[in-house]
Amino acid sequence: MAISNDQDSKLVAALRAALKKNERLREELDRAPEPIAIVGMGCRLPGGIDTPEALWDLLERGGEALGPLPSDRGWDLDALLGKDGEEGGSAMAQGAFLDDPAAFDPAFFGISPKEAEAMDPQQRLLLEVAWEAVENAGIPPQTLAGGDAGVWVGAIAQEYGPRLTEAPGDGFAITGTTNSVASGRLSYVLGLTGPAVTVDTACSSSLVAVHLAVRALRADECSLALAGGATVMATPGVLTEFTHLRGLASDGRCKAFGAGADGAGFSEGAGMVALERLSDARRNGHRVLAVIRGGAVNQDGASNGLTAPNGPSQERVIARALEDARLTPADVDLVEAHGTGTALGDPIEAQALISAYGPGRAGDHPLWLGSLKSNLGHPQAAAGIAGLIKLVLALRHGVLPRTLHADEPTPHVDWSSGAVELLTEARPWPETGRPRRAAVSSFGMSGTNAHLVLEQAPTEERSGASEPGAQDAPVRAGADQAARPAAESGPGGAERVRGPVLWPLSARGGAALADQAARLRDRVGADPGLDPVDVGWSLATTRTAFDDRAVVLGDGRADLLDGLRALAEGRPTPDVVTGRAAPDRMPVLVFPGQGGQWEGMAVELLGSSAVFAERIAECERALAPYVEWSLVSVLRGEEGAPSLERVDVVQPV
C-alpha cells in the first residue's frame, strides 16, 4: 500500500511525539523524589512502652498489652460495665490503656501547673514524644529554636475538660482543648518557625500527618519535620458508641484477619518521628533508621456507607503510593495493615491487598501481612504512627514480627487468589541483595486512606552506624544520642587510652537527674557491647545541658554502672560529682606563660588524646617556618631538643 507524503509526515510527527514523550518519562524517572530519612523516634504505648526499644521487646516475645479499664479517670466503671449497649454501657471490659497519662512535668516545658491541668493529655504526650524523637536523632532540641522545622500532628478531639461555656475563663481551656494547638504548641515550646498542622481524618490521622510532612520536605517548606499523632480517651464515649454499633470485641482484642474477628479493641498511645531529606541527614551526620520511599492519600468518596471501608479506593491508594515510590508490588515484602479485627473491614482490606500486591508475585516470595493492633489494640489517631515505628524496628532487626490471634485466617477472604500470607509466626527477614521494603496502611472512619512505603536504610548508613547502641539509651523527655565511631589512634601516634571515662548527665531537678541515671544504667547494662567512651561522647555532645548536673567517673564499665546506681539511689560516692550550673557565672582560664612550665608537661595528654595530638601537630606545622626545633620533640624532651627553660622556646610553646 502506498503512503502519501501527507501520511508520511503525520507518521513522522507521531513518532517524534512518542520519542519526546519517552524522553519526558525518562527525565521524570531521573528526577525521582529524594527519599525521606527517618532519623529519630519517640513513643508512648500501652503496657508501659515508653521507647521504641520497649515496643520491640513486646513484639519479639509476641506479647500483648492488655488490662482492665482505667480507674484513674473518673469513669463510673460499675455503671459502664453493668449496662448494655442500648443503655450506654461498654461491651469491652478490658483493653490497652496508657499507664498514668496524667504523669507530666509541666515545668520541664515551661508550662504552669494551672495551664497543664487544662491541657488535653494528648498535647502533653505529644510534647514528650516530640522532644524524645528529636534527641533520638542526636539533636539537642534547644538548637532548633528559630529554625524552619515543621510539625504535623494527627489528633482527634476526646472530650477532655469542661465545655468552654463552663470553663474558668482564664483562657487555658481553649488552648488546652483546641486541636490546632496540638501542633502549634510543639512549635511554640521548641521555637520552630516551619508549618504547624493538626490533621483529623479519624484513625488515619497520624499517617496522613507523616505523608504531609514528607511532601513538605520535598517541597523545601522545611528542613526538618516532626510528624506523628496521639490519642488518649478522656471519657469512655468511644467505647459506649461502638458498643451501641456492635463494633467492639468483647475481650478487647483486635483479632486482625483472624477467623475469630468480632470487633475492634480500642486503645490509646502517642508516637512521633523526626524526618529529614536523606541528603540533609547525611550532611548533618544523623543516623538513618529507615527511609520513606513514597506514599499516597485518597478518599472513599460516595461508597457503600460513610463509615464503611471501600476496597477499590484502598487498591488505588496502594497503586499511587507504589508509583510515587517508583516501585512495583513485588518490591515490597511486608504490609503493616490497618487490620482492626472487624468482620466487615478486615476482609475488604485483605482482598484489596491481594488484588494490589498479589498478582505476579513468585510463590516463594509472598507478601507478608500483619497488624500491630493484635498486640496492643487500636490506638485510633496514633495507629498509623505506631505501625510505622513497628516497621522501622522490623527493618533494622531483620525480623517479620508475628501477628496474634490469626492462626486461623478469616474464611471471608479468598487467600488463594494472590500470594499474600498472614504472619502467624515470626520469621527472619533475610538480606536478598536489595533493601528490605515494607508498607503501612491506615484508614479513617472519615473515608480518608493513607499508604506509605518504607525502605531499609541505605547500605552506607547500615554499615557505618551501630545497631541499637549507646544512642538508644532511653531517657524520658530527652532520649537518645548518636554514637561516635571509635578512632584507635590519632596524629602523632596518640593511642586511644582506655583510662578514666566521664559520663555527664543533666536534668531539670534532682529527682529527674536520679531517673536519668537509673534509665541510662538499665540501657547500658542491657548491652555489654556499648563502648563507654562512645556513651560519654554522646552524652556530652548530643544532649541538652540542663542546670542540675552530675558527672560519673570510672575506669571501666563496671565502675561507671556502679556510679550510675549510686546517683540513682542518692548515695554519695567519690566517683560521682553533682552540682547546679550557674548561668550568670563564667569560668576563666588563666595561662601563666613563662614560669609555669615543667618538664614533661602535656606528654601524657599528647599520648592519650587524639584530639590534643592533632591540635599540637597543627601548631607544630604553623611554627615550623619560624623556629629550628620541633614542638613535639620539645614537649617529649627528646635528645637534641632545646630545653623549655629557654625564653625563645617556652614562650611559643
Side-chain angles (χ1 to χ4, degrees):
M1 182 179 69
I3 299 177
S4 67
N5 289 337
D6 184 54
Q7 288 175 315
D8 184 56
S9 61
K10 287 181 178 178
L11 180 60
V12 170
L15 288 171
R16 285 175 176 169
L19 288 172
K20 285 184 178 179
K21 183 177 181 181
N22 285 337
E23 288 173 4
R24 286 196 301 271
L25 287 172
R26 282 197 297 270
E27 290 174 0
E28 186 177 343
L29 287 173
D30 290 340
R31 294 195 304 269
E34 181 178 10
I36 299 301
I38 300 171
V39 297
M41 303 190 296
C43 66
R44 294 283 188 278
L45 293 167
I49 295 171
D50 57 2
T51 65
E53 291 70 39
L55 174 59
W56 185 251
D57 288 342
L58 179 80
L59 293 169
E60 200 168 30
R61 57 185 167 83
E64 62 179 359
L66 204 65
L69 299 186
S71 59
D72 58 355
R73 306 186 189 183
W75 298 1
D76 187 344
L77 297 182
D78 290 337
L80 196 62
L81 299 176
K83 298 177 181 178
D84 61 26
E86 300 299 328
E87 298 175 330
S90 170
M92 199 177 93
Q94 61 178 357
F97 297 90
L98 290 171
D99 295 341
D100 196 8
F104 177 67
D105 182 1
F108 183 90
F109 296 103
I111 297 171
S112 71
K114 187 176 183 180
E115 183 174 7
E117 186 179 354
M119 286 170 57
D120 187 329
Q122 296 175 158
Q123 291 189 21
R124 306 176 204 164
L125 284 176
L126 287 167
L127 282 170
E128 292 180 353
V129 296
W131 185 282
E132 292 178 9
V134 172
E135 282 206 330
N136 183 246
I139 304 171
Q142 79 275 13
T143 63
L144 297 178
D148 68 346
V151 178
W152 284 261
V153 163
I156 305 171
Q158 289 289 334
E159 304 177 304
Y160 177 76
R163 294 175 179 272
L164 293 182
T165 55
E166 302 166 352
D170 51 20
F172 291 146
I174 192 166
T175 56
T177 58
T178 300
N179 263 8
S180 61
V181 180
S183 57
R185 192 183 293 276
L186 296 186
S187 295
Y188 176 78
V189 169
L190 296 174
L192 314 180
T193 64
V197 180
T198 303
V199 178
D200 183 357
T201 58
C203 298
S204 60
S205 296
S206 59
L207 204 63
V208 172
V210 175
H211 174 76
L212 294 176
V214 168
R215 287 289 189 266
L217 284 165
R218 287 179 175 175
D220 201 24
E221 294 178 355
C222 58
S223 58
L224 176 77
L226 297 176
T231 287
V232 179
M233 288 186 278
T235 74
V238 170
L239 304 184
T240 58
E241 183 67 4
F242 272 82
T243 296
H244 185 75
L245 296 172
R246 304 292 189 265
L248 278 189
S250 58
D251 60 1
R253 292 180 170 92
C254 291
K255 306 167 189 69
F257 306 109
D262 58 349
F266 282 102
S267 67
E268 47 193 21
M272 191 74 64
V273 291
L275 307 173
E276 287 181 303
R277 291 179 288 271
L278 181 58
S279 57
D280 288 343
R282 287 169 167 163
R283 183 171 57 253
N284 295 330
H286 294 152
R287 177 188 50 158
V288 178
L289 303 174
V291 297
I292 299 175
R293 280 287 300 264
V297 170
N298 76 356
Q299 238 283 338
D300 287 343
S303 59
N304 59 335
L306 175 62
T307 62
N310 181 267
S313 293
Q314 293 179 17
E315 291 181 46
R316 285 193 294 272
V317 80
I318 291 169
R320 291 184 64 179
L322 290 170
E323 181 183 3
D324 185 55
R326 304 302 197 267
L327 296 171
T328 69
D331 293 324
V332 177
D333 308 313
L334 166 68
V335 167
E336 169 65 20
H338 190 61
T340 60
T342 62
L344 173 65
D346 282 11
I348 291 174
E349 181 179 8
Q351 206 62 62
L353 288 166
I354 290 171
S355 299
Y357 279 106
R361 299 183 76 96
D364 59 349
H365 180 53
L367 178 80
W368 294 105
L369 181 61
S371 176
L372 177 62
K373 295 179 183 68
S374 71
N375 302 92
L376 45 74
H378 182 5
Q380 302 170 70
I385 190 65
L388 186 147
I389 292 172
K390 170 191 170 180
L391 288 188
V392 173
L393 295 167
L395 287 166
R396 289 176 66 78
H397 286 273
V399 175
L400 299 164
R402 175 192 174 200
T403 290
L404 310 182
H405 319 306
D407 292 342
E408 183 183 348
T410 173
H412 304 298
V413 173
D414 182 6
W415 295 100
S416 65
S417 61
V420 176
E421 293 188 27
L422 284 173
L423 278 164
T424 55
E425 60 182 28
R427 293 176 173 271
W429 196 347
E431 297 282 1
T432 61
R434 66 157 174 81
R436 302 178 185 121
R437 297 190 183 100
V440 55
S441 286
S442 199
F443 310 132
M445 185 175 64
S446 63
T448 299
N449 311 307
H451 194 77
L452 264 61
V453 181
L454 276 65
E455 185 174 275
Q456 189 178 13
T459 304
E460 53 268 37
E461 272 79 8
R462 299 203 301 273
S463 61
S466 60
E467 284 303 306
Q471 66 272 32
D472 298 309
V475 183
R476 185 180 293 272
D480 309 347
Q481 45 273 333
R484 170 177 63 114
E488 291 305 320
S489 63
E495 296 287 328
R496 190 181 184 201
V497 176
R498 303 291 176 171
V501 175
L502 297 176
W503 283 359
L505 293 90
S506 72
R508 286 179 172 163
L513 190 62
D515 183 60
Q516 295 268 37
R519 292 166 66 83
L520 181 62
R521 184 182 183 281
D522 289 345
R523 178 63 189 92
V524 176
D527 190 347
L530 291 178
D531 186 329
V533 175
D534 286 338
V535 175
W537 182 87
S538 299
L539 291 169
T541 62
T542 64
R543 296 297 308 280
T544 302
F546 296 114
D547 290 346
D548 290 279
R549 300 180 184 179
V551 173
V552 179
L553 175 68
D555 286 324
R557 175 186 176 84
D559 290 345
L560 290 161
L561 290 176
D562 287 344
L564 287 175
R565 182 190 290 110
L567 179 58
E569 296 173 355
R571 290 186 289 103
T573 173
D575 295 331
V576 176
V577 179
T578 60
R580 185 170 175 81
D584 57 337
R585 299 179 183 178
M586 181 176 293
V588 176
L589 304 181
V590 179
F591 297 90
Q594 189 174 349
Q597 73 276 13
W598 67 90
E599 185 178 349
M601 67 184 298
V603 172
E604 185 179 353
L605 190 59
L606 189 64
S608 63
S609 171
V611 175
F612 183 73
E614 183 178 349
R615 295 297 178 264
I616 288 294
E618 290 178 9
C619 292
E620 179 167 308
R621 290 192 295 271
L623 285 170
Y626 309 104
V627 300
E628 297 177 349
W629 39 264
S630 160
L631 173 59
V632 173
S633 297
V634 168
L635 290 175
R636 293 190 184 280
E638 295 177 357
E639 185 176 353
S643 168
L644 272 175
E645 296 301 319
R646 280 176 45 179
V647 66
D648 62 326
V649 174
V650 69
Q651 289 190 356
V653 169

Short mmCIF file of all heavy atoms in Angstrom, two decimals, residues 105 107-108 131 135 142 477 504-514 516 543-551 567 577-585:
data_model
loop_
_atom_site.label_atom_id
_atom_site.label_comp_id
_atom_site.label_asym_id
_atom_site.label_seq_id
_atom_site.Cartn_x
_atom_site.Cartn_y
_atom_site.Cartn_z
N ASP A 105 5.44 16.57 83.49
CA ASP A 105 6.26 17.56 84.19
C ASP A 105 6.13 18.90 83.47
O ASP A 105 6.88 19.18 82.53
CB ASP A 105 7.71 17.10 84.21
CG ASP A 105 8.61 18.05 84.98
OD1 ASP A 105 8.10 19.06 85.51
OD2 ASP A 105 9.83 17.79 85.05
N ALA A 107 6.85 21.95 84.33
CA ALA A 107 7.98 22.87 84.48
C ALA A 107 9.07 22.58 83.45
O ALA A 107 9.77 23.49 83.00
CB ALA A 107 8.55 22.78 85.89
N PHE A 108 9.22 21.32 83.06
CA PHE A 108 10.23 20.95 82.07
C PHE A 108 10.02 21.71 80.77
O PHE A 108 10.98 22.10 80.10
CB PHE A 108 10.16 19.44 81.82
CG PHE A 108 11.21 18.92 80.87
CD1 PHE A 108 12.43 18.48 81.35
CD2 PHE A 108 10.96 18.87 79.51
CE1 PHE A 108 13.40 18.01 80.47
CE2 PHE A 108 11.92 18.40 78.63
CZ PHE A 108 13.15 17.97 79.12
N TRP A 131 9.93 15.75 71.90
CA TRP A 131 11.25 16.02 72.49
C TRP A 131 12.15 14.79 72.34
O TRP A 131 13.31 14.90 71.96
CB TRP A 131 11.07 16.39 73.96
CG TRP A 131 12.35 16.80 74.63
CD1 TRP A 131 13.33 15.99 75.09
CD2 TRP A 131 12.80 18.13 74.89
NE1 TRP A 131 14.35 16.72 75.63
CE2 TRP A 131 14.05 18.04 75.53
CE3 TRP A 131 12.25 19.39 74.66
CZ2 TRP A 131 14.77 19.17 75.92
CZ3 TRP A 131 12.96 20.51 75.06
CH2 TRP A 131 14.21 20.39 75.69
N GLU A 135 15.78 14.24 70.30
CA GLU A 135 17.02 13.79 70.92
C GLU A 135 17.42 12.41 70.43
O GLU A 135 18.61 12.09 70.37
CB GLU A 135 16.88 13.80 72.45
CG GLU A 135 17.02 15.20 73.04
CD GLU A 135 17.51 15.20 74.47
OE1 GLU A 135 17.22 14.22 75.19
OE2 GLU A 135 18.18 16.16 74.87
N GLN A 142 17.05 22.37 71.95
CA GLN A 142 17.12 23.83 72.01
C GLN A 142 17.82 24.42 70.79
O GLN A 142 17.66 25.60 70.49
CB GLN A 142 17.82 24.28 73.31
CG GLN A 142 19.33 24.19 73.31
CD GLN A 142 19.83 22.81 73.68
OE1 GLN A 142 19.06 21.86 73.71
NE2 GLN A 142 21.11 22.70 73.98
N ALA A 477 11.81 12.32 78.25
CA ALA A 477 11.85 13.75 77.92
C ALA A 477 13.25 14.18 77.55
O ALA A 477 13.75 15.19 77.99
CB ALA A 477 11.32 14.58 79.08
N PRO A 504 28.67 12.56 81.61
CA PRO A 504 27.92 13.70 82.13
C PRO A 504 26.42 13.52 81.93
O PRO A 504 25.97 13.06 80.88
CB PRO A 504 28.44 14.86 81.28
CG PRO A 504 28.82 14.23 79.98
CD PRO A 504 29.26 12.82 80.28
N LEU A 505 25.64 13.86 82.93
CA LEU A 505 24.19 13.83 82.85
C LEU A 505 23.64 15.17 83.32
O LEU A 505 24.28 15.85 84.15
CB LEU A 505 23.59 12.72 83.71
CG LEU A 505 23.88 11.27 83.30
CD1 LEU A 505 25.14 10.77 83.98
CD2 LEU A 505 22.70 10.38 83.68
N SER A 506 22.47 15.52 82.84
CA SER A 506 21.82 16.74 83.31
C SER A 506 20.31 16.55 83.27
O SER A 506 19.81 15.68 82.56
CB SER A 506 22.24 17.95 82.47
OG SER A 506 21.64 17.88 81.18
N ALA A 507 19.62 17.37 84.05
CA ALA A 507 18.16 17.26 84.11
C ALA A 507 17.62 18.54 84.74
O ALA A 507 18.38 19.42 85.16
CB ALA A 507 17.74 16.05 84.93
N ARG A 508 16.31 18.61 84.80
CA ARG A 508 15.65 19.71 85.50
C ARG A 508 15.12 19.18 86.81
O ARG A 508 14.01 18.67 86.89
CB ARG A 508 14.54 20.30 84.63
CG ARG A 508 15.07 21.13 83.48
CD ARG A 508 13.96 21.69 82.62
NE ARG A 508 14.49 22.64 81.65
CZ ARG A 508 13.85 23.05 80.56
NH1 ARG A 508 12.64 22.59 80.31
NH2 ARG A 508 14.40 23.91 79.74
N GLY A 509 15.94 19.27 87.86
CA GLY A 509 15.54 18.79 89.17
C GLY A 509 16.31 17.54 89.57
O GLY A 509 16.70 16.72 88.72
N GLY A 510 16.52 17.39 90.88
CA GLY A 510 17.28 16.26 91.39
C GLY A 510 16.62 14.92 91.14
O GLY A 510 17.29 13.93 90.83
N ALA A 511 15.29 14.86 91.28
CA ALA A 511 14.59 13.60 91.05
C ALA A 511 14.73 13.16 89.60
O ALA A 511 14.93 11.97 89.30
CB ALA A 511 13.12 13.73 91.42
N ALA A 512 14.64 14.12 88.68
CA ALA A 512 14.79 13.80 87.26
C ALA A 512 16.21 13.33 86.96
O ALA A 512 16.42 12.44 86.13
CB ALA A 512 14.43 15.01 86.40
N LEU A 513 17.18 13.93 87.65
CA LEU A 513 18.58 13.53 87.44
C LEU A 513 18.78 12.08 87.89
O LEU A 513 19.46 11.29 87.21
CB LEU A 513 19.51 14.47 88.21
CG LEU A 513 21.00 14.34 87.93
CD1 LEU A 513 21.31 14.67 86.47
CD2 LEU A 513 21.79 15.27 88.86
N ALA A 514 18.20 11.72 89.03
CA ALA A 514 18.29 10.34 89.50
C ALA A 514 17.61 9.39 88.52
O ALA A 514 18.10 8.28 88.26
CB ALA A 514 17.66 10.22 90.89
N GLN A 516 17.28 9.87 85.29
CA GLN A 516 18.18 9.77 84.13
C GLN A 516 19.22 8.70 84.39
O GLN A 516 19.52 7.87 83.52
CB GLN A 516 18.88 11.12 83.89
CG GLN A 516 17.98 12.25 83.49
CD GLN A 516 17.85 12.38 81.98
OE1 GLN A 516 17.82 11.38 81.28
NE2 GLN A 516 17.77 13.60 81.49
N ARG A 543 23.26 15.94 73.82
CA ARG A 543 22.20 16.04 74.81
C ARG A 543 22.03 17.48 75.25
O ARG A 543 22.99 18.26 75.28
CB ARG A 543 22.50 15.17 76.03
CG ARG A 543 22.56 13.69 75.73
CD ARG A 543 21.21 13.17 75.24
NE ARG A 543 20.15 13.55 76.13
CZ ARG A 543 19.88 12.92 77.26
NH1 ARG A 543 20.58 11.88 77.64
NH2 ARG A 543 18.90 13.33 78.02
N THR A 544 20.83 17.83 75.64
CA THR A 544 20.58 19.15 76.19
C THR A 544 21.22 19.26 77.57
O THR A 544 21.09 18.35 78.39
CB THR A 544 19.07 19.40 76.31
OG1 THR A 544 18.48 19.26 75.02
CG2 THR A 544 18.79 20.79 76.86
N ALA A 545 21.93 20.37 77.81
CA ALA A 545 22.58 20.58 79.11
C ALA A 545 21.67 21.41 80.00
O ALA A 545 21.55 22.62 79.85
CB ALA A 545 23.92 21.27 78.92
N PHE A 546 21.00 20.73 80.95
CA PHE A 546 20.14 21.42 81.90
C PHE A 546 20.95 21.83 83.13
O PHE A 546 22.12 21.48 83.27
CB PHE A 546 18.96 20.53 82.29
CG PHE A 546 18.04 20.20 81.15
CD1 PHE A 546 17.93 18.90 80.68
CD2 PHE A 546 17.30 21.19 80.53
CE1 PHE A 546 17.10 18.59 79.62
CE2 PHE A 546 16.47 20.90 79.46
CZ PHE A 546 16.36 19.59 79.00
N ASP A 547 20.31 22.54 84.04
CA ASP A 547 21.05 23.15 85.15
C ASP A 547 21.49 22.15 86.21
O ASP A 547 22.55 22.30 86.81
CB ASP A 547 20.22 24.26 85.80
CG ASP A 547 20.07 25.47 84.88
OD1 ASP A 547 20.83 25.54 83.90
OD2 ASP A 547 19.22 26.33 85.15
N ASP A 548 20.66 21.13 86.50
CA ASP A 548 21.05 20.13 87.50
C ASP A 548 21.92 19.08 86.82
O ASP A 548 21.47 18.40 85.89
CB ASP A 548 19.80 19.50 88.13
CG ASP A 548 19.06 20.47 89.00
OD1 ASP A 548 19.48 20.65 90.15
OD2 ASP A 548 18.08 21.07 88.52
N ARG A 549 23.15 18.94 87.31
CA ARG A 549 24.11 18.13 86.58
C ARG A 549 24.85 17.16 87.49
O ARG A 549 24.94 17.35 88.69
CB ARG A 549 25.13 19.04 85.86
CG ARG A 549 24.45 19.99 84.88
CD ARG A 549 25.42 20.88 84.16
NE ARG A 549 24.71 21.83 83.32
CZ ARG A 549 25.29 22.76 82.58
NH1 ARG A 549 26.61 22.86 82.58
NH2 ARG A 549 24.56 23.57 81.83
N ALA A 550 25.36 16.12 86.83
CA ALA A 550 26.19 15.14 87.53
C ALA A 550 27.22 14.61 86.54
O ALA A 550 26.97 14.56 85.33
CB ALA A 550 25.35 14.00 88.08
N VAL A 551 28.36 14.22 87.07
CA VAL A 551 29.39 13.55 86.28
C VAL A 551 29.75 12.26 86.99
O VAL A 551 30.07 12.27 88.19
CB VAL A 551 30.64 14.44 86.09
CG1 VAL A 551 31.75 13.64 85.40
CG2 VAL A 551 30.30 15.68 85.29
N LEU A 567 24.12 7.27 91.97
CA LEU A 567 23.42 8.52 91.65
C LEU A 567 21.91 8.30 91.66
O LEU A 567 21.15 9.13 92.19
CB LEU A 567 23.88 9.02 90.28
CG LEU A 567 23.23 10.30 89.76
CD1 LEU A 567 23.44 11.46 90.74
CD2 LEU A 567 23.80 10.66 88.38
N VAL A 577 30.08 13.35 90.96
CA VAL A 577 30.05 14.76 91.36
C VAL A 577 28.74 15.36 90.88
O VAL A 577 28.37 15.19 89.71
CB VAL A 577 31.23 15.53 90.74
CG1 VAL A 577 31.16 17.01 91.14
CG2 VAL A 577 32.55 14.92 91.16
N THR A 578 28.03 16.02 91.76
CA THR A 578 26.77 16.66 91.38
C THR A 578 26.86 18.15 91.67
O THR A 578 27.66 18.60 92.48
CB THR A 578 25.58 16.07 92.15
OG1 THR A 578 25.78 16.25 93.55
CG2 THR A 578 25.41 14.58 91.85
N GLY A 579 26.02 18.90 91.00
CA GLY A 579 26.00 20.34 91.22
C GLY A 579 24.96 20.99 90.35
O GLY A 579 24.24 20.32 89.61
N ARG A 580 24.89 22.28 90.46
CA ARG A 580 23.93 23.05 89.67
C ARG A 580 24.67 24.13 88.92
O ARG A 580 25.47 24.88 89.49
CB ARG A 580 22.86 23.65 90.58
CG ARG A 580 21.75 24.37 89.83
CD ARG A 580 20.60 24.74 90.74
NE ARG A 580 19.60 25.53 90.04
CZ ARG A 580 18.67 25.03 89.26
NH1 ARG A 580 18.61 23.72 89.08
NH2 ARG A 580 17.79 25.81 88.66
N ALA A 581 24.40 24.20 87.63
CA ALA A 581 25.07 25.19 86.79
C ALA A 581 24.63 26.59 87.19
O ALA A 581 23.47 26.81 87.56
CB ALA A 581 24.75 24.94 85.33
N ALA A 582 25.56 27.51 87.12
CA ALA A 582 25.27 28.91 87.42
C ALA A 582 25.44 29.71 86.13
O ALA A 582 26.56 30.10 85.77
CB ALA A 582 26.20 29.43 88.50
N PRO A 583 24.37 29.92 85.39
CA PRO A 583 24.49 30.57 84.08
C PRO A 583 25.01 31.99 84.15
O PRO A 583 25.48 32.53 83.15
CB PRO A 583 23.05 30.52 83.53
CG PRO A 583 22.18 30.34 84.72
CD PRO A 583 22.97 29.55 85.71
N ASP A 584 24.93 32.64 85.33
CA ASP A 584 25.40 34.01 85.43
C ASP A 584 26.89 34.07 85.77
O ASP A 584 27.44 35.15 85.96
CB ASP A 584 24.60 34.78 86.49
CG ASP A 584 24.65 34.09 87.85
OD1 ASP A 584 24.91 32.87 87.88
OD2 ASP A 584 24.46 34.79 88.85
N ARG A 585 27.53 32.91 85.88
CA ARG A 585 28.96 32.90 86.17
C ARG A 585 29.70 32.30 84.98
O ARG A 585 29.21 31.39 84.31
CB ARG A 585 29.26 32.06 87.42
CG ARG A 585 28.60 32.61 88.67
CD ARG A 585 28.93 31.72 89.86
NE ARG A 585 28.26 32.18 91.08
CZ ARG A 585 28.34 31.56 92.24
NH1 ARG A 585 29.08 30.45 92.35
NH2 ARG A 585 27.71 32.02 93.31
#
